[in-house]
Amino acid sequence: MYLIISIMPDLLNELSVMGLHDLPFSEQERGELDQFIAVCSPFFVSVCQQKPDKSQHHLLLGVMTKAQSEAVEDYKQKSQSLQNMKQVFEDTVGAEQADKFVATDSQRLKVIATVWFMVQGYTGIDFSYANDHAEQIAQTLMPDSLIVSDADYSKTQSAEQIRSGFMQAYYVGVKQARKSRQSATLLETIKKWLR
């Protein structure tokens, strides 16, 4: 009799292997990330169960691509309303108080996109493809100017700063992939030596 052990896919673990903890998220962004992982985990498990012959890393790329695409579309649909709401705040309470307004849709998109770029880097997606998408998403976020980096401190980032942040996440993934390959190579060398 054989005992078959099935390892349940874990979204947080997969993202951690790819470098999630090396991404510089603010406290508010970490909250968005935690919420995203909680919502997306069951879907990731389902996808992995439906395609057990596929690499979980590549399935995660597909899941993140879908999540990113949905986040962009959701953001675009709500963008004008957010701009109007910010204008009402500025007109009613003044620009200084209105700057404390936090658009969670832009933060959500920024967090999901950042993780998506990290996964792209880890799975070996072409730099130019990632960079083009980083630029597009950064431009999408630009009209918002409601990206907040901390609860007590709001700052507007330029499109180039946002794109650069996305590409830093891409390189976190690239770096983690290299580490994983080196570890796997070392393990294979030890196994061969022991034979």
Side-chain angles (χ1 to χ4, degrees):
M1 178 188 295
Y2 293 97
L3 178 62
I4 298 175
I5 299 174
S6 175
I7 299 174
M8 183 71 106
D10 180 357
L11 178 60
L12 180 58
N13 185 55
E14 288 296 313
L15 292 172
S16 296
V17 165
M18 294 180 176
L20 181 67
H21 300 295
D22 294 335
L23 298 178
F25 288 126
S26 70
E27 190 174 319
Q28 284 181 327
E29 290 168 336
R30 286 260 173 226
E32 287 287 336
L33 177 63
D34 292 344
Q35 184 178 12
F36 169 74
I37 289 172
V39 169
C40 196
S41 285
F43 179 64
F44 177 65
V45 169
S46 173
V47 168
C48 290
Q49 289 171 344
Q50 291 173 21
K51 300 183 180 202
D53 57 323
K54 303 287 183 190
S55 158
Q56 286 186 10
H57 298 314
H58 288 98
L59 292 175
L60 180 55
L61 176 62
V63 167
M64 289 305 305
T65 300
K66 179 183 184 300
Q68 175 277 146
S69 178
E70 290 172 351
V72 167
E73 287 307 310
D74 186 51
Y75 176 78
K76 284 179 178 179
Q77 288 178 358
K78 295 178 181 176
S79 183
Q80 188 57 48
S81 297
L82 289 170
Q83 287 297 320
N84 294 341
M85 199 173 354
K86 185 176 185 217
Q87 187 60 50
V88 168
F89 283 150
E90 285 179 7
D91 294 345
T92 349
V93 297
E96 186 176 319
Q97 293 300 318
D99 283 342
K100 294 179 182 176
F101 174 69
V102 177
T104 57
D105 290 323
S106 61
Q107 282 186 343
R108 181 174 172 268
L109 173 54
K110 185 179 176 200
V111 166
I112 291 171
T114 300
V115 173
W116 181 53
F117 287 110
M118 177 198 69
V119 173
Q120 286 185 49
Y122 189 89
T123 55
I125 297 299
D126 182 65
F127 170 84
S128 60
Y129 174 85
N131 190 54
D132 288 347
H133 281 276
E135 194 171 308
Q136 289 172 4
I137 295 171
Q139 289 298 328
T140 298
L141 285 167
M142 270 319 295
D144 187 347
S145 66
L146 297 173
I147 298 171
V148 176
S149 63
D150 202 3
D152 299 324
Y153 174 74
S154 66
K155 72 175 185 180
T156 303
Q157 295 180 312
S158 72
E160 179 56 28
Q161 289 170 318
I162 295 168
R163 185 203 64 79
S164 178
F166 290 152
M167 294 313 294
Q168 286 174 353
Y170 174 87
Y171 282 112
V172 164
V174 168
K175 178 180 169 187
Q176 287 303 117
R178 283 187 192 132
K179 284 182 183 178
S180 291
R181 280 192 299 273
Q182 288 172 347
S183 295
T185 303
L186 179 61
L187 185 60
E188 288 300 315
T189 303
I190 291 171
K191 283 181 181 179
K192 286 179 184 176
W193 184 73
L194 293 173
R195 287 184 197 165

